[in-house]
């Protein structure tokens, strides 16, 4: 009889699962048991996004830059503004003057100094407390006019310089040099004359500012009664106007042309009273008599000497 062939040991032993395969299977089972994270709905995330955006806007406007609305036409045509209209909105750089000093030609926004605002009424706010609350919040984020008396003008002279108006060509003069001011706007082209004012030496730490719309701007010439009281402390400057951001048709940079860069030396002649203007003529007439008398005596002596030689 033929004896059966015995099976191999591998066939006799039961199959054992591969450790690697077992590990993978376990991991897969764990993954299947984990529930996928549920994403927050849009309406839950929206308030978070709004709060983050407001915080970033607050930080940006308080420390870096802020948007201001031009309320009047005193800076035409560089900046457009008028009562009751949609004036230019400009981005004001608030960090420039932390590293540099204000310079002639810079268009700056500044807090009204005490002499400028001492006789003005407070800016209007709604009597409704709810509306007033949102106005205050909006002003912080640039969504409403600020509840403060701020101004925008161009720096004409800085501390230690003497400014006055005008020379024979009706130009403002700083330290004896007539300024180059191509930005001046004349509302009446037939009346391109600006009012004169006496020399003012700007105190150190102050600047002298004027509007580009030269005949429709109450600036250092008239604020606080003019003179030294019209100068603006550098510490009151909020920042430098950089860009017109709205409306889109007005997009562009704000000119900072330095009027002193091409200033021309001039000889300022102040008009003297009529009696003083007649003094030189009177002195000339009085001095003419002795000169004429002396000339005649000298001539007679010369003729006598000539006759004796003959």
């Amino acid at each position: 009889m033929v004896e059966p062939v015995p099976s191999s040991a591998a066939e006799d032993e039961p199959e054992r699962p591969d450790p690697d395969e077992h590990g993978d299977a376990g991991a897969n089972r764990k993954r299947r048991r984990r529930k996928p994270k549920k994403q927050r709905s849009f309406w839950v995330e929206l308030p978070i996004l709004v709060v983050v955006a407001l915080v970033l806007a607050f930080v940006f406007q308080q420390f870096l830059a802020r948007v201001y609305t031009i309320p009047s036409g005193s800076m035409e045509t560089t900046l457009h503004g008028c009562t009751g209209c949609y004036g230019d909105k400009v981005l004001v750089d608030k960090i420039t003057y932390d590293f540099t000093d204000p310079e002639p030609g810079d268009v700056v926004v500044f807090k009204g100094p005490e002499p400028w605002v001492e006789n003005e009424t407070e800016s209007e706010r709604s009597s409704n407390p709810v509306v007033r609350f949102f106005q205050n919040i909006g002003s912080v984020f640039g969504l409403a006019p600020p509840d403060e008396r701020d101004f925008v003008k161009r720096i004409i002279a800085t501390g230690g310089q003497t400014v006055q108006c005008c020379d024979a060509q009706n130009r403002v003069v700083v330290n004896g040099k007539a300024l180059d001011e191509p930005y001046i706007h004349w509302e009446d082209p037939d009346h391109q004359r600006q009012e004169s004012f006496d020399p003012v030496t700007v105190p150190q730490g102050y600047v002298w500012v004027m509007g580009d719309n030269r005949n429709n701007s109450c600036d250092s010439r008239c604020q606080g009664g003019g003179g030294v009281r019209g100068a603006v402390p550098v510490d009151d400057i909020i920042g430098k106007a950089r860009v017109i951001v709205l409306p889109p048709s007005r997009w562009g940079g704000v000119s900072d042309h330095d009027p002193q860069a091409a200033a021309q030396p001039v000889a300022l002649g102040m008009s003297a009273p009529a009696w003083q203007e007649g003094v030189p003529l009177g002195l000339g007439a009085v001095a003419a008599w002795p000169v004429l008398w002396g000339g005649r005596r000298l001539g007679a002596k010369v003729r006598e000497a000539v006759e004796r030689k003959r």
Side-chain angles (χ1 to χ4, degrees), residues 32 42 59 61 65 75 152 186 255 300:
R32 282 197 298 269
F42 170 76
V59 172
Q61 296 217 66
M75 285 296 293
V152 56
W186 305 106
S255 164

Side-chain angles (χ1 to χ4, degrees), residues 194-243:
Q194 51 187 324
E195 295 183 5
S196 61
F197 59 89
D198 294 332
V200 178
T201 299
V202 183
Q204 292 294 342
Y206 286 71
V207 293
W208 183 270
V209 297
M210 299 174 70
D212 290 357
N213 191 355
R214 198 52 55 84
N215 289 337
N216 188 20
S217 172
C218 188
D219 40 48
S220 290
R221 297 170 295 176
C222 64
Q223 292 284 4
V228 174
R229 283 173 54 84
V232 176
V234 172
D235 291 342
D236 286 348
I237 296 178
I238 296 171
K240 179 178 179 179
R242 291 287 189 182
V243 181

